[in-house]
mmCIF file of all heavy atoms in Angstrom:
data_model
loop_
_atom_site.group_PDB
_atom_site.id
_atom_site.type_symbol
_atom_site.label_atom_id
_atom_site.label_comp_id
_atom_site.label_asym_id
_atom_site.label_seq_id
_atom_site.Cartn_x
_atom_site.Cartn_y
_atom_site.Cartn_z
ATOM 1 N N GLY A 1330 -48.903 91.759 19.519
ATOM 2 C CA GLY A 1330 -47.871 91.882 20.539
ATOM 3 C C GLY A 1330 -47.597 90.575 21.272
ATOM 4 O O GLY A 1330 -48.515 89.927 21.774
ATOM 5 N N LEU A 1331 -46.330 90.192 21.329
ATOM 6 C CA LEU A 1331 -45.934 89.052 22.163
ATOM 7 C C LEU A 1331 -45.953 89.495 23.621
ATOM 8 O O LEU A 1331 -45.317 90.482 23.991
ATOM 9 C CB LEU A 1331 -44.536 88.574 21.774
ATOM 10 C CG LEU A 1331 -44.424 87.788 20.464
ATOM 11 C CD1 LEU A 1331 -42.965 87.615 20.070
ATOM 12 C CD2 LEU A 1331 -45.093 86.438 20.602
ATOM 13 N N GLY A 1332 -46.670 88.763 24.453
ATOM 14 C CA GLY A 1332 -46.837 89.145 25.847
ATOM 15 C C GLY A 1332 -48.272 89.466 26.192
ATOM 16 O O GLY A 1332 -48.615 89.645 27.362
ATOM 17 N N SER A 1333 -49.140 89.544 25.203
ATOM 18 C CA SER A 1333 -50.564 89.785 25.403
ATOM 19 C C SER A 1333 -51.330 88.509 25.069
ATOM 20 O O SER A 1333 -51.172 87.942 23.989
ATOM 21 C CB SER A 1333 -51.038 90.931 24.504
ATOM 22 O OG SER A 1333 -52.443 90.978 24.433
ATOM 23 N N GLN A 1334 -52.172 88.049 26.001
ATOM 24 C CA GLN A 1334 -52.899 86.805 25.777
ATOM 25 C C GLN A 1334 -53.941 86.950 24.680
ATOM 26 O O GLN A 1334 -54.161 86.012 23.898
ATOM 27 C CB GLN A 1334 -53.565 86.336 27.067
ATOM 28 C CG GLN A 1334 -54.136 84.929 26.973
ATOM 29 C CD GLN A 1334 -54.635 84.398 28.292
ATOM 30 O OE1 GLN A 1334 -54.542 85.072 29.313
ATOM 31 N NE2 GLN A 1334 -55.164 83.187 28.282
ATOM 32 N N VAL A 1335 -54.565 88.099 24.563
ATOM 33 C CA VAL A 1335 -55.542 88.316 23.496
ATOM 34 C C VAL A 1335 -54.852 88.250 22.136
ATOM 35 O O VAL A 1335 -55.373 87.651 21.183
ATOM 36 C CB VAL A 1335 -56.258 89.665 23.687
ATOM 37 C CG1 VAL A 1335 -57.169 89.957 22.497
ATOM 38 C CG2 VAL A 1335 -57.082 89.662 24.975
ATOM 39 N N SER A 1336 -53.665 88.850 22.033
ATOM 40 C CA SER A 1336 -52.909 88.773 20.781
ATOM 41 C C SER A 1336 -52.503 87.346 20.469
ATOM 42 O O SER A 1336 -52.458 86.935 19.303
ATOM 43 C CB SER A 1336 -51.670 89.668 20.864
ATOM 44 O OG SER A 1336 -52.024 91.036 20.954
ATOM 45 N N GLN A 1337 -52.196 86.576 21.508
ATOM 46 C CA GLN A 1337 -51.822 85.176 21.308
ATOM 47 C C GLN A 1337 -52.985 84.385 20.706
ATOM 48 O O GLN A 1337 -52.797 83.612 19.757
ATOM 49 C CB GLN A 1337 -51.413 84.559 22.653
ATOM 50 C CG GLN A 1337 -50.730 83.215 22.550
ATOM 51 C CD GLN A 1337 -49.253 83.334 22.281
ATOM 52 O OE1 GLN A 1337 -48.742 84.425 22.074
ATOM 53 N NE2 GLN A 1337 -48.561 82.216 22.264
ATOM 54 N N ILE A 1338 -54.178 84.571 21.232
ATOM 55 C CA ILE A 1338 -55.354 83.887 20.688
ATOM 56 C C ILE A 1338 -55.659 84.372 19.273
ATOM 57 O O ILE A 1338 -56.044 83.589 18.397
ATOM 58 C CB ILE A 1338 -56.569 84.103 21.611
ATOM 59 C CG1 ILE A 1338 -56.276 83.553 23.016
ATOM 60 C CG2 ILE A 1338 -57.800 83.432 21.044
ATOM 61 C CD1 ILE A 1338 -55.891 82.099 23.050
ATOM 62 N N ALA A 1339 -55.466 85.668 19.038
ATOM 63 C CA ALA A 1339 -55.685 86.201 17.696
ATOM 64 C C ALA A 1339 -54.709 85.595 16.692
ATOM 65 O O ALA A 1339 -55.072 85.313 15.545
ATOM 66 C CB ALA A 1339 -55.544 87.723 17.714
ATOM 67 N N ALA A 1340 -53.456 85.370 17.118
ATOM 68 C CA ALA A 1340 -52.457 84.768 16.237
ATOM 69 C C ALA A 1340 -52.818 83.330 15.887
ATOM 70 O O ALA A 1340 -52.530 82.857 14.781
ATOM 71 C CB ALA A 1340 -51.082 84.825 16.899
ATOM 72 N N ILE A 1341 -53.453 82.623 16.823
ATOM 73 C CA ILE A 1341 -53.891 81.251 16.539
ATOM 74 C C ILE A 1341 -55.059 81.243 15.563
ATOM 75 O O ILE A 1341 -55.155 80.395 14.677
ATOM 76 C CB ILE A 1341 -54.285 80.540 17.849
ATOM 77 C CG1 ILE A 1341 -53.111 80.501 18.819
ATOM 78 C CG2 ILE A 1341 -54.774 79.123 17.577
ATOM 79 C CD1 ILE A 1341 -53.470 79.988 20.192
ATOM 80 N N ALA A 1342 -55.956 82.224 15.714
ATOM 81 C CA ALA A 1342 -57.179 82.238 14.915
ATOM 82 C C ALA A 1342 -56.985 82.794 13.510
ATOM 83 O O ALA A 1342 -57.768 82.474 12.606
ATOM 84 C CB ALA A 1342 -58.254 83.066 15.635
ATOM 85 N N LEU A 1343 -55.949 83.606 13.293
ATOM 86 C CA LEU A 1343 -55.789 84.279 12.008
ATOM 87 C C LEU A 1343 -55.700 83.310 10.824
ATOM 88 O O LEU A 1343 -56.396 83.498 9.821
ATOM 89 C CB LEU A 1343 -54.565 85.201 12.059
ATOM 90 C CG LEU A 1343 -54.209 85.942 10.770
ATOM 91 C CD1 LEU A 1343 -55.377 86.781 10.276
ATOM 92 C CD2 LEU A 1343 -52.986 86.835 10.993
ATOM 93 N N PRO A 1344 -54.873 82.242 10.873
ATOM 94 C CA PRO A 1344 -54.802 81.327 9.716
ATOM 95 C C PRO A 1344 -55.840 80.204 9.743
ATOM 96 O O PRO A 1344 -55.667 79.193 9.065
ATOM 97 C CB PRO A 1344 -53.371 80.745 9.819
ATOM 98 C CG PRO A 1344 -52.733 81.392 11.002
ATOM 99 C CD PRO A 1344 -53.836 81.912 11.850
ATOM 100 N N ASN A 1345 -56.911 80.368 10.520
ATOM 101 C CA ASN A 1345 -57.877 79.279 10.668
ATOM 102 C C ASN A 1345 -58.515 78.893 9.332
ATOM 103 O O ASN A 1345 -58.744 77.702 9.056
ATOM 104 C CB ASN A 1345 -58.961 79.687 11.672
ATOM 105 C CG ASN A 1345 -59.879 78.543 12.034
ATOM 106 O OD1 ASN A 1345 -59.431 77.419 12.270
ATOM 107 N ND2 ASN A 1345 -61.175 78.803 12.079
ATOM 108 N N LYS A 1346 -58.817 79.875 8.485
ATOM 109 C CA LYS A 1346 -59.400 79.560 7.174
ATOM 110 C C LYS A 1346 -58.410 78.807 6.294
ATOM 111 O O LYS A 1346 -58.813 77.961 5.481
ATOM 112 C CB LYS A 1346 -59.869 80.845 6.491
ATOM 113 C CG LYS A 1346 -61.123 81.456 7.106
ATOM 114 C CD LYS A 1346 -61.661 82.595 6.266
ATOM 115 C CE LYS A 1346 -62.962 83.137 6.846
ATOM 116 N NZ LYS A 1346 -63.510 84.258 6.034
ATOM 117 N N ILE A 1347 -57.138 79.108 6.436
ATOM 118 C CA ILE A 1347 -56.112 78.368 5.692
ATOM 119 C C ILE A 1347 -56.106 76.915 6.141
ATOM 120 O O ILE A 1347 -56.018 75.989 5.323
ATOM 121 C CB ILE A 1347 -54.733 79.021 5.892
ATOM 122 C CG1 ILE A 1347 -54.741 80.460 5.366
ATOM 123 C CG2 ILE A 1347 -53.642 78.205 5.206
ATOM 124 C CD1 ILE A 1347 -53.442 81.213 5.581
ATOM 125 N N ASP A 1348 -56.201 76.693 7.469
ATOM 126 C CA ASP A 1348 -56.237 75.327 8.002
ATOM 127 C C ASP A 1348 -57.406 74.546 7.415
ATOM 128 O O ASP A 1348 -57.250 73.394 6.981
ATOM 129 C CB ASP A 1348 -56.350 75.361 9.530
ATOM 130 C CG ASP A 1348 -55.156 76.009 10.192
ATOM 131 O OD1 ASP A 1348 -54.097 76.082 9.550
ATOM 132 O OD2 ASP A 1348 -55.281 76.449 11.344
ATOM 133 N N HIS A 1349 -58.583 75.150 7.414
ATOM 134 C CA HIS A 1349 -59.772 74.454 6.920
ATOM 135 C C HIS A 1349 -59.698 74.212 5.412
ATOM 136 O O HIS A 1349 -60.192 73.180 4.931
ATOM 137 C CB HIS A 1349 -61.029 75.259 7.268
ATOM 138 C CG HIS A 1349 -61.482 75.062 8.682
ATOM 139 N ND1 HIS A 1349 -62.159 73.931 9.090
ATOM 140 C CD2 HIS A 1349 -61.337 75.828 9.790
ATOM 141 C CE1 HIS A 1349 -62.430 74.026 10.384
ATOM 142 N NE2 HIS A 1349 -61.938 75.164 10.831
ATOM 143 N N TYR A 1350 -59.105 75.135 4.683
ATOM 144 C CA TYR A 1350 -58.985 74.929 3.240
ATOM 145 C C TYR A 1350 -58.085 73.722 2.951
ATOM 146 O O TYR A 1350 -58.409 72.882 2.102
ATOM 147 C CB TYR A 1350 -58.424 76.182 2.575
ATOM 148 C CG TYR A 1350 -58.446 76.118 1.058
ATOM 149 C CD1 TYR A 1350 -59.558 76.539 0.342
ATOM 150 C CD2 TYR A 1350 -57.354 75.621 0.340
ATOM 151 C CE1 TYR A 1350 -59.595 76.478 -1.035
ATOM 152 C CE2 TYR A 1350 -57.384 75.548 -1.040
ATOM 153 C CZ TYR A 1350 -58.499 75.978 -1.729
ATOM 154 O OH TYR A 1350 -58.532 75.899 -3.090
ATOM 155 N N ILE A 1351 -56.982 73.626 3.661
ATOM 156 C CA ILE A 1351 -56.064 72.508 3.437
ATOM 157 C C ILE A 1351 -56.702 71.187 3.872
ATOM 158 O O ILE A 1351 -56.584 70.166 3.190
ATOM 159 C CB ILE A 1351 -54.741 72.753 4.181
ATOM 160 C CG1 ILE A 1351 -54.011 73.952 3.573
ATOM 161 C CG2 ILE A 1351 -53.841 71.518 4.128
ATOM 162 C CD1 ILE A 1351 -52.769 74.367 4.315
ATOM 163 N N LYS A 1352 -57.397 71.217 4.994
ATOM 164 C CA LYS A 1352 -57.991 69.990 5.527
ATOM 165 C C LYS A 1352 -59.263 69.591 4.772
ATOM 166 O O LYS A 1352 -59.441 68.418 4.418
ATOM 167 C CB LYS A 1352 -58.323 70.178 7.014
ATOM 168 C CG LYS A 1352 -57.161 69.973 7.959
ATOM 169 C CD LYS A 1352 -56.922 68.497 8.217
ATOM 170 C CE LYS A 1352 -55.960 68.289 9.362
ATOM 171 N NZ LYS A 1352 -55.706 66.855 9.622
ATOM 172 N N ASP A 1353 -60.159 70.549 4.536
ATOM 173 C CA ASP A 1353 -61.492 70.233 4.027
ATOM 174 C C ASP A 1353 -61.598 70.276 2.508
ATOM 175 O O ASP A 1353 -62.326 69.470 1.920
ATOM 176 C CB ASP A 1353 -62.519 71.194 4.643
ATOM 177 C CG ASP A 1353 -62.507 71.147 6.160
ATOM 178 O OD1 ASP A 1353 -62.103 70.117 6.714
ATOM 179 O OD2 ASP A 1353 -62.892 72.152 6.791
ATOM 180 N N VAL A 1354 -60.897 71.222 1.879
ATOM 181 C CA VAL A 1354 -60.991 71.359 0.421
ATOM 182 C C VAL A 1354 -59.936 70.513 -0.278
ATOM 183 O O VAL A 1354 -60.247 69.721 -1.164
ATOM 184 C CB VAL A 1354 -60.872 72.844 0.011
ATOM 185 C CG1 VAL A 1354 -60.949 72.974 -1.505
ATOM 186 C CG2 VAL A 1354 -61.962 73.671 0.680
ATOM 187 N N LEU A 1355 -58.677 70.675 0.149
ATOM 188 C CA LEU A 1355 -57.601 69.898 -0.470
ATOM 189 C C LEU A 1355 -57.507 68.480 0.085
ATOM 190 O O LEU A 1355 -56.784 67.646 -0.474
ATOM 191 C CB LEU A 1355 -56.261 70.619 -0.282
ATOM 192 C CG LEU A 1355 -56.168 72.014 -0.907
ATOM 193 C CD1 LEU A 1355 -54.806 72.618 -0.649
ATOM 194 C CD2 LEU A 1355 -56.461 71.961 -2.394
ATOM 195 N N ARG A 1356 -58.211 68.210 1.192
ATOM 196 C CA ARG A 1356 -58.301 66.866 1.768
ATOM 197 C C ARG A 1356 -56.934 66.314 2.162
ATOM 198 O O ARG A 1356 -56.627 65.146 1.948
ATOM 199 C CB ARG A 1356 -58.985 65.903 0.790
ATOM 200 C CG ARG A 1356 -60.287 66.384 0.203
ATOM 201 C CD ARG A 1356 -61.356 66.581 1.236
ATOM 202 N NE ARG A 1356 -61.791 65.314 1.824
ATOM 203 C CZ ARG A 1356 -62.694 65.212 2.806
ATOM 204 N NH1 ARG A 1356 -63.236 66.316 3.316
ATOM 205 N NH2 ARG A 1356 -63.039 64.041 3.274
ATOM 206 N N MET A 1357 -56.113 67.171 2.772
ATOM 207 C CA MET A 1357 -54.801 66.731 3.240
ATOM 208 C C MET A 1357 -54.946 66.249 4.682
ATOM 209 O O MET A 1357 -55.120 67.053 5.605
ATOM 210 C CB MET A 1357 -53.776 67.862 3.140
ATOM 211 C CG MET A 1357 -53.602 68.404 1.726
ATOM 212 S SD MET A 1357 -53.249 67.133 0.504
ATOM 213 C CE MET A 1357 -51.683 66.523 1.074
ATOM 214 N N LYS A 1358 -54.869 64.959 4.863
ATOM 215 C CA LYS A 1358 -55.106 64.353 6.172
ATOM 216 C C LYS A 1358 -53.956 64.613 7.135
ATOM 217 O O LYS A 1358 -54.168 64.862 8.321
ATOM 218 C CB LYS A 1358 -55.330 62.846 5.995
ATOM 219 C CG LYS A 1358 -55.719 62.122 7.261
ATOM 220 C CD LYS A 1358 -56.010 60.659 6.976
ATOM 221 C CE LYS A 1358 -56.417 59.928 8.249
ATOM 222 N NZ LYS A 1358 -56.677 58.491 7.977
ATOM 223 N N PHE A 1359 -52.721 64.533 6.621
ATOM 224 C CA PHE A 1359 -51.545 64.671 7.484
ATOM 225 C C PHE A 1359 -51.064 66.121 7.436
ATOM 226 O O PHE A 1359 -50.116 66.466 6.722
ATOM 227 C CB PHE A 1359 -50.441 63.706 7.043
ATOM 228 C CG PHE A 1359 -50.850 62.258 7.111
ATOM 229 C CD1 PHE A 1359 -50.376 61.340 6.193
ATOM 230 C CD2 PHE A 1359 -51.726 61.813 8.086
ATOM 231 C CE1 PHE A 1359 -50.747 60.007 6.256
ATOM 232 C CE2 PHE A 1359 -52.116 60.483 8.154
ATOM 233 C CZ PHE A 1359 -51.629 59.579 7.236
ATOM 234 N N TYR A 1360 -51.736 66.962 8.202
ATOM 235 C CA TYR A 1360 -51.423 68.396 8.241
ATOM 236 C C TYR A 1360 -51.336 68.844 9.688
ATOM 237 O O TYR A 1360 -52.223 68.547 10.500
ATOM 238 C CB TYR A 1360 -52.502 69.194 7.502
ATOM 239 C CG TYR A 1360 -52.429 70.689 7.720
ATOM 240 C CD1 TYR A 1360 -51.398 71.440 7.171
ATOM 241 C CD2 TYR A 1360 -53.392 71.354 8.477
ATOM 242 C CE1 TYR A 1360 -51.325 72.812 7.371
ATOM 243 C CE2 TYR A 1360 -53.336 72.722 8.673
ATOM 244 C CZ TYR A 1360 -52.306 73.455 8.120
ATOM 245 O OH TYR A 1360 -52.237 74.805 8.317
#
């Protein structure tokens, strides 16, 4: 839900594994 701070933090955390895969596994520096 837009308007809930807990949902906002959850939305930031959901793609966190995608971020780490691109940064750490694929070694994409400019991301």
Side-chain angles (χ1 to χ4, degrees):
L1331 285 169
S1333 166
Q1334 190 173 359
V1335 174
S1336 294
Q1337 192 84 355
I1338 300 303
I1341 301 172
L1343 177 57
N1345 189 44
K1346 288 189 176 180
I1347 299 177
D1348 297 340
H1349 280 283
Y1350 188 88
I1351 294 174
K1352 278 280 192 180
D1353 303 335
V1354 179
L1355 299 180
R1356 310 297 292 177
M1357 301 307 296
K1358 186 176 181 181
F1359 299 146
Y1360 168 70

